[in-house]
Amino acid sequence: MKKFSCIAAAAALLLAGCGNTQGGGELPGGKQVAPDPKLQPFYTQKVKWGTCPDNVTDAPDMQCGTVKVPLNYENPSGETISLQAARLKRTPKKPRGALFMNPGGPGQSATDILVGISGASFSSSVMNNYIVVAVDPRGVGHSNPIRCLSDKQRDISRNGYVGTDLLADAKKEVETFMNGCLKNNPELAKTMDTQTHARDLDITRAAVGDTKLNYVGYSYGSMLGATYASLFPKTVGRMVLDGIVDPNRSADNMAKGQGLGFETATRHFLKTEQFEKGLSKNPNEALRQLQAFLESLDKKPLRTNQPTRPLTRALATEGIAALLYNTETYPTLRDALTQALDKHDGSQLLYFADTNSGRDSSGKYEENSADAIVLINNLDYQPEGDMELWKKQAAEINRLTPTYKDLFTYTDYMLAVSPLKGPKRQPVKFGALPHIVIVGNLHDPATPYDNAVSLHKQLPNSSLITLDSWNHCGYSGISTCVTKNVEKYLVDGVVPPKKVSCKVD
């Protein structure tokens, strides 16, 4: 899958984390102390807030600054890079420091949507207690964004496989992509794993002057938060993890879970929306018709309002999935499918697929999230099993997800043939931690609910807020119950019960 975020449709395939070490803190007198003395210069820097650069989505009440981090933590005295940070320029009535936010992806710019997510998710009680801060992880958004493919190569990649040998095509694509990353920025490409992102986050915490990290992480942001908690348990403040990615799941398990999530969401969509034209009013028959339509695109892509870009199966499924993250976009998906099936015009589905991947009407990919997500996932996971197992897994996934045939298969194979390898993956282990709040949607299409249940079991000192919803993520203004429980915790430190059940308003 391509990238999505909780705000504009979130999270993606192959998300993970790793590692376990001790965190830093603050010495008497207010001096930040690094977990490694060699990193001390980074922990004593202070962010200089000012006007945002022209390339950062700006707002009147927003300020920007940069944070310097080592390019390679194995050589902290070597080359450095700067991370782009942003904050809302306001003076809380009861200042508690910063509340960091990560919207997911991986690869979604946090600084570009800071204002929008703050208005949509956080109530005035949170805004009156915290200064909301966003930082783009290394290689993402405005923090030295990495590019692995040209715009033309990205178009070709998104069109999907065209040959008869799926594995050969996949191998060629993976090699082209990873070699492009290594050619354009080899050292950065090797250090964009989630464990490194978590280390950068701790330096950023210190740079804004906080002794504890108060944090809300959505989707992949939940995995980043969990990884941070495993690495820096002593500096965890109030932490909310929403749209959960279990950092201890395998690549195949993640792919299978997400595939089932989208398949189930598709069936729910067809039961919810009534088609006047294009698809049958009977949900089961409509599903068969939709699957037949997608299958036909393999042989004959559908015309669009862009003569040189017909709608392929891969583009169609991307457009469909992008509109399944939120039930409010179901009518939009119904209209797009009606246009495709009744009028034989794939323009709307192509538009939403392009919007999801950040492609504008001129053919330019305005941001690098489509590159960042693949690279980060590649570094975070390692292949498990062999070809015999992978073929069995692919057959099982395709049986369970017929609408999205081959989209969620052979993840371990692609990791195995990648010329760029991540650090050796270790189980994420959690030590003694303050209370953490977990939010999981029962029918989340992108991050299955059992991820939330699993992480809750791994974190004995946690609450699990369960929302009966088909949306992706729950702390987003759609449930007063979720908002009340989360914000009493963030603002007043009131820990929710061990398990809480909520509904959408």
Side-chain angles (χ1 to χ4, degrees):
M1 286 302 300
K2 307 300 180 184
K3 67 92 190 171
F4 304 88
S5 82
C6 267
I7 302 310
L13 180 61
L14 296 183
L15 305 160
C18 44
N20 187 23
T21 181
Q22 292 295 310
E26 188 177 46
L27 292 173
K31 182 181 178 182
Q32 299 281 355
V33 57
D36 182 340
K38 295 179 181 179
L39 296 172
Q40 192 60 41
F42 297 99
Y43 276 76
T44 54
Q45 67 182 303
K46 299 295 180 184
V47 180
K48 296 180 180 179
W49 299 104
T51 304
C52 291
D54 292 339
N55 64 338
V56 177
T57 301
D58 202 354
D61 61 345
M62 185 169 153
Q63 291 179 311
C64 289
T66 58
V67 178
K68 187 178 293 186
V69 296
L71 177 60
N72 187 335
Y73 278 86
E74 299 300 316
N75 182 25
S77 61
E79 187 177 350
T80 63
I81 57 174
S82 293
L83 307 181
Q84 181 66 62
R87 71 175 184 179
L88 296 185
K89 184 176 61 176
R90 57 184 296 157
T91 303
K93 295 179 180 178
K94 301 175 182 179
R96 296 181 181 275
L99 178 63
F100 284 83
M101 177 279 301
N102 183 281
Q108 176 72 43
S109 170
T111 60
D112 277 344
I113 66 169
L114 172 61
V115 174
I117 194 173
S118 298
S121 298
F122 307 141
S123 72
S124 59
S125 64
V126 172
M127 306 290 276
N128 286 334
N129 281 268
Y130 293 97
I131 296 176
V132 183
V133 175
V135 58
D136 288 344
R138 63 170 62 201
V140 171
H142 305 287
S143 295
N144 298 273
I146 194 164
R147 296 278 184 171
C148 302
L149 298 178
S150 67
D151 289 344
K152 183 177 181 180
Q153 287 176 315
R154 173 62 59 195
D155 277 348
I156 294 172
S157 174
R158 290 178 54 231
N159 281 338
Y161 303 125
V162 295
T164 57
D165 192 333
L166 175 66
L167 294 182
D169 284 347
K171 182 175 185 293
K172 182 179 179 180
E173 182 172 347
V174 169
E175 290 174 342
T176 298
F177 182 92
M178 296 303 165
N179 286 329
C181 301
L182 290 168
K183 179 181 178 180
N184 292 334
N185 202 327
E187 294 307 312
L188 179 60
K190 296 173 184 176
T191 62
M192 283 179 59
D193 58 285
T194 298
Q195 181 173 331
T196 301
H197 289 324
R199 290 178 172 180
D200 291 345
L201 185 58
D202 196 52
I203 289 177
T204 307
R205 168 201 60 79
V208 303
D210 282 6
T211 59
K212 301 287 185 179
L213 178 78
N214 300 308
Y215 177 84
V216 176
Y218 296 96
S219 198
Y220 166 81
S222 73
M223 187 271 291
L224 176 59
T227 302
Y228 181 93
S230 74
L231 290 168
F232 303 100
K234 294 181 179 179
T235 53
V236 173
R238 295 176 186 176
M239 180 174 284
V240 177
L241 307 178
D242 185 5
I244 303 302
V245 176
D246 183 351
N248 284 310
R249 298 241 164 145
S250 68
D252 175 76
N253 185 283
M254 286 295 301
K256 181 179 179 180
Q258 195 174 55
L260 278 169
F262 280 108
E263 186 72 32
T264 305
T266 302
R267 295 168 188 263
H268 178 256
F269 158 73
L270 293 173
K271 290 179 181 179
T272 303
E273 295 295 321
Q274 290 292 307
F275 284 76
E276 294 299 326
K277 294 182 179 180
L279 291 178
S280 171
K281 295 184 186 301
N282 181 294
N284 293 328
E285 179 60 26
L287 181 64
R288 288 191 288 270
Q289 290 172 340
L290 176 60
Q291 291 169 351
F293 163 69
L294 293 173
E295 191 77 27
S296 72
L297 298 179
D298 283 333
K299 297 180 179 179
K300 187 178 180 180
L302 193 63
R303 67 176 177 86
T304 69
N305 56 6
Q306 299 184 48
T308 61
R309 299 186 68 220
L311 185 74
T312 64
R313 179 173 188 150
L315 291 170
T317 52
E318 182 181 359
I320 292 170
L323 295 171
L324 287 174
Y325 277 78
N326 191 315
T327 55
E328 291 184 0
T329 57
Y330 277 14
T332 303
L333 176 55
R334 180 196 62 210
D335 292 344
L337 284 171
T338 298
Q339 182 193 54
L341 291 157
D342 183 52
K343 299 181 179 180
H344 308 290
D345 183 351
S347 299
Q348 287 189 46
L349 285 177
L350 178 62
Y351 169 79
F352 291 112
D354 283 348
T355 300
N356 172 64
S357 285
R359 185 188 192 275
D360 66 20
S361 58
S362 72
K364 180 177 176 58
Y365 288 83
E366 297 178 322
E367 35 85 16
N368 80 316
S369 59
D371 287 318
I373 183 173
V374 177
L375 179 55
I376 294 169
N377 290 334
N378 178 82
L379 295 175
D380 277 345
Y381 282 92
Q382 291 178 336
E384 300 179 15
D386 54 23
M387 184 59 74
E388 182 180 358
L389 176 62
W390 300 336
K391 288 182 177 180
K392 290 180 180 179
Q393 290 173 336
E396 174 69 2
I397 290 175
N398 278 335
R399 183 184 68 81
L400 295 171
T401 63
T403 308
Y404 298 92
K405 181 182 176 183
D406 291 329
L407 187 59
F408 297 93
T409 59
Y410 291 108
T411 52
D412 282 301
Y413 168 76
M414 288 185 280
L415 291 168
V417 298
S418 171
L420 177 58
K421 308 297 183 184
K424 185 177 181 180
R425 192 181 187 205
Q426 303 290 341
V428 175
K429 298 179 180 180
F430 300 102
L433 287 164
H435 201 90
I436 291 175
V437 173
I438 296 169
V439 182
N441 284 1
L442 279 175
H443 312 289
D444 194 315
T447 51
Y449 175 69
D450 62 354
N451 284 346
V453 174
S454 175
L455 186 61
H456 178 52
K457 291 179 180 177
Q458 295 173 57
L459 293 169
N461 196 20
S462 66
S463 298
L464 173 58
I465 300 176
T466 300
L467 179 61
D468 189 357
S469 167
W470 291 84
N471 291 354
H472 180 47
C473 300
Y475 178 42
S476 55
I478 62 175
S479 170
T480 301
C481 172
V482 172
T483 298
K484 180 180 178 180
N485 279 278
V486 167
E487 297 195 348
K488 277 190 174 183
Y489 164 75
L490 286 174
V491 174
D492 301 318
V494 177
V495 173
K498 197 76 172 176
K499 292 187 177 181
V500 180
S501 296
C502 292
K503 293 184 178 181
V504 175
D505 294 341

